[in-house]
Amino acid sequence: MHMNLKDKTLWQRNAAAIGGMVLFAAGINFFIVPASLYNGGVLGISQIIRTLLIQVFPSLASGTDIAGIINFILNVPLFIVAYISIGKSFFSRTLVCLISQTIFLSIFPIPATPLVNDSLTASIMGGLLAGTGIGISLRSGGSSGGMDIVGMFFTKKYKNFSVGKVSLTVNAVVYGICAILFGIPTAVYSIIYSAVSTLMTDKAHTQNINTEVVIYTKEEPEAILDYIVNEFHRDATWWEARGGYTEETTYMIVTILSKYECVHLRRGLKNIDEHAFVVVKEGMHIGGKYEKHL
């Protein structure tokens, strides 16, 4: 039964990761590419290489968009980083994401005429879809590769780092190249797309949001403490208290989890103490030793 549940969870995560890549590819092919805008990071570099190759070899413009294939090739060194520094499960789901991303970028048709009439709308719509897709993939334990891998590496290493910050830094270089090669307007609207996409990524990536969790229970707290330590590999502090109205003995348990972990905590508490009262405060600034679980 345990293995079946584990396999089911694995399939659910892979399905979510692939679904995220569907949104990402839709945002790129339906809005960004028709508006002649560019993604950031490694995919943006791949799109620039694609454009330059088409200028030299016009025949490449027909048929499958080769940007996804170039992106896959450029991601190979980063896969080594993901495997060594972040973890095997992240590596495997990132591989699933990148393969599915390459397939969707190749099969999703690029409209001959843009779906929207202005570049601003295209950049916002593309950013909403693509950023949400990346965030969902990160939440499932994988990523679309590229700067997401670098971002996850630094997020794991530094407490106050977010996945989007690395992307913004690298994108500044990519869009500087776009400004030189394709003009200032292209770079400006691509930057708007990148900003919207980064915002949506950090909002959807709930593992990047710290929460303080306070649990009030009248049962013995050891079972809840064991669950927090064994399930999330987190520490917790508890003490005995007394209710102000009932004057009954109660127990308070305090721990710090990610918003993603907090969802699973609520589910687990139902099996331990369904009457437990839980208070959650998001966006905590944490000092000292605290490892992000990505």
Side-chain angles (χ1 to χ4, degrees):
M1 175 67 76
H2 178 71
M3 289 299 296
N4 291 337
L5 179 60
K6 184 176 180 180
D7 292 341
K8 181 180 179 181
T9 301
L10 178 62
W11 279 106
Q12 288 175 340
R13 286 195 168 196
N14 285 335
I18 293 173
M21 288 300 96
V22 170
L23 290 177
F24 176 79
I28 296 297
N29 279 16
F30 296 158
F31 294 99
I32 301 305
V33 176
S36 298
L37 302 179
Y38 290 83
N39 195 77
V42 175
L43 180 57
I45 296 172
S46 303
Q47 290 174 320
I48 293 174
I49 294 174
R50 182 269 319 274
T51 301
L52 296 177
L53 285 175
I54 289 176
Q55 292 178 358
V56 178
F57 306 102
S59 60
L60 294 176
S62 59
T64 301
D65 186 7
I66 62 173
I69 299 174
I70 297 173
N71 180 60
F72 186 91
I73 295 173
L74 294 180
N75 268 279
V76 172
L78 295 177
F79 273 124
I80 300 175
V81 174
Y83 185 82
I84 296 175
S85 302
I86 302 177
K88 294 181 180 179
S89 61
F90 177 79
F91 168 81
S92 62
R93 273 188 288 275
T94 297
L95 184 61
V96 169
C97 287
L98 189 58
I99 291 176
S100 59
Q101 178 195 94
T102 303
I103 293 173
F104 294 135
L105 286 174
S106 300
I107 65 176
F108 281 4
I110 299 174
T113 57
L115 298 180
V116 293
N117 296 325
D118 63 286
S119 297
L120 178 60
T121 304
S123 62
I124 293 175
M125 291 300 301
L128 290 173
L129 285 174
T132 301
I134 293 175
I136 291 173
S137 297
L138 289 171
R139 184 172 179 174
S140 70
S143 82
S144 60
M147 290 301 105
D148 291 338
I149 295 177
V150 180
M152 291 287 280
F153 173 79
F154 281 108
T155 299
K156 189 177 180 68
K157 191 175 182 65
Y158 300 107
K159 303 177 185 65
N160 296 324
F161 220 93
S162 72
V163 176
K165 290 180 180 178
V166 173
S167 297
L168 282 176
T169 302
V170 175
N171 290 351
V173 177
V174 173
Y175 293 139
I177 297 174
C178 286
I180 295 172
L181 296 179
F182 312 120
I184 298 296
T186 296
V188 169
Y189 287 118
S190 295
I191 290 172
I192 294 174
Y193 153 73
S194 176
V196 175
S197 177
T198 300
L199 176 63
M200 295 305 300
T201 296
D202 279 345
K203 290 297 183 182
H205 183 210
T206 56
Q207 288 168 303
N208 200 46
I209 302 174
N210 298 321
T211 63
E212 177 187 16
V213 183
V214 182
I215 304 169
Y216 297 86
T217 177
K218 293 182 180 179
E219 305 295 332
E220 290 297 324
E222 282 82 0
I224 296 177
L225 288 169
D226 289 342
Y227 177 73
I228 293 173
V229 172
N230 295 326
E231 182 70 17
F232 306 107
H233 304 289
R234 299 292 191 195
D235 201 357
T237 302
W238 72 279
W239 58 89
E240 184 177 318
R242 187 172 295 277
Y245 180 75
T246 63
E247 296 188 355
E248 294 181 355
T249 299
T250 187
Y251 301 94
M252 294 178 60
I253 304 168
V254 178
T255 187
I256 303 295
L257 302 174
S258 71
K259 188 175 179 180
Y260 178 78
E261 292 170 326
C262 188
V263 173
H264 293 275
L265 173 66
R266 290 178 181 274
R267 295 173 182 170
L269 284 177
K270 291 182 179 180
N271 298 324
I272 301 173
D273 180 9
E274 61 179 356
H275 301 295
F277 185 72
V278 182
V279 178
V280 179
K281 183 179 180 181
E282 295 184 6
M284 300 297 299
H285 177 74
I286 301 174
K289 186 178 180 181
Y290 178 77
E291 180 181 354
K292 290 191 175 183
H293 296 164
L294 302 173

